[in-house]
Amino acid sequence: MPEISASQLIEGVNFVALRAFADDRGRFLETFRKEWFPQRSWERVQSNVSYSKPDVLRGLHYHYHQVDYWFCLLGTIQVALADLRPDSPTFRQTETVEIGKRNALGIFIPVGVAHGFLALTEAALAYNVDNYYDSTDEHGVAWDDPELAVDWNSAAPLLSERDRCNPNLADLPADHLPRLHPA
């Protein structure tokens, strides 16, 4: 079993130090098991892969009804996380972590934690989710929100129109923010 550790900065985020088994042919990694995450009745219903060129920034996105589990298949990315849940003890905390070629790390991202990444190289990100894609559960907050102050280490990343137009956290109505403990 891999080593699973809770984030020291954001409630509910878990990091999975995956074990690689290598020989002269390459390497093998077991990247996901639902029993690694007992805090969520996990039913992986969809798996996706996102391919990105260097300096592409995707995010920050969040959901009310979906958890994500990320693993970088190819290259290296800088992941950014931001707690948007006002009832969380870590509300407005952010964290960045590099994953990919240099480390085999999986990231469990709970509901209400905004997430995004900057491709430091050409990269492929695999992610499992526990709900089917639903456009009404796709939300975003500005990647460069001064209140969140994520240090992306990129002055002019490549962004989608959607991500360029995401609002700042201060502009989101308080009753529309996700919750750690939904009512």
Side-chain angles (χ1 to χ4, degrees):
M1 181 149 158
E3 181 181 326
I4 300 172
S5 59
S7 166
Q8 299 300 301
L9 299 175
I10 300 178
E11 179 77 23
V13 170
N14 286 283
F15 300 107
V16 182
L18 301 168
R19 293 190 181 153
F21 299 93
D23 61 24
D24 57 349
R25 300 169 297 159
R27 68 183 187 150
F28 169 83
L29 292 166
E30 182 178 38
T31 61
F32 174 86
R33 282 189 180 208
K34 69 180 184 177
E35 58 264 20
W36 294 348
F37 309 106
Q39 70 275 33
R40 177 87 173 185
S41 177
W42 182 275
E43 181 68 33
R44 181 182 71 185
V45 299
Q46 188 171 329
S47 293
N48 306 296
V49 177
S50 168
Y51 296 92
S52 299
K53 297 176 182 180
D55 216 30
V56 164
L57 192 150
R58 299 183 188 271
L60 295 165
H61 306 146
Y62 66 96
H63 313 281
Y64 296 105
H65 307 288
Q66 173 182 301
V67 299
D68 284 52
Y69 175 76
W70 286 13
F71 175 71
C72 189
L73 293 168
L74 170 74
T76 304
I77 63 175
Q78 176 187 328
V79 175
L81 305 165
D83 192 344
L84 304 185
R85 305 163 298 178
D87 60 337
S88 169
T90 58
F91 178 51
R92 286 192 225 137
Q93 277 285 16
T94 63
E95 184 167 9
T96 59
V97 62
E98 191 176 294
I99 66 172
K101 188 174 182 177
R102 289 187 280 272
N103 65 7
L105 194 66
I107 303 177
F108 176 88
I109 306 166
V111 167
V113 172
H115 45 279
F117 70 90
L118 174 68
L120 301 176
T121 66
E122 186 169 321
L125 174 68
Y127 56 105
N128 298 325
V129 295
D130 71 342
N131 271 316
Y132 291 111
Y133 173 77
D134 175 1
S135 63
T136 65
D137 193 32
E138 287 288 316
H139 308 280
V141 65
W143 69 278
D144 59 349
D145 184 328
E147 185 176 348
L148 298 174
V150 173
D151 184 6
W152 289 104
N153 296 316
S154 179
L158 303 171
L159 295 158
S160 69
E161 183 62 28
R162 171 189 165 201
D163 289 344
R164 220 182 341 270
C165 295
N166 283 335
N168 286 333
L169 179 59
D171 296 327
L172 296 174
D175 63 341
H176 284 79
L177 291 176
R179 302 284 180 222
L180 178 64
H181 303 289

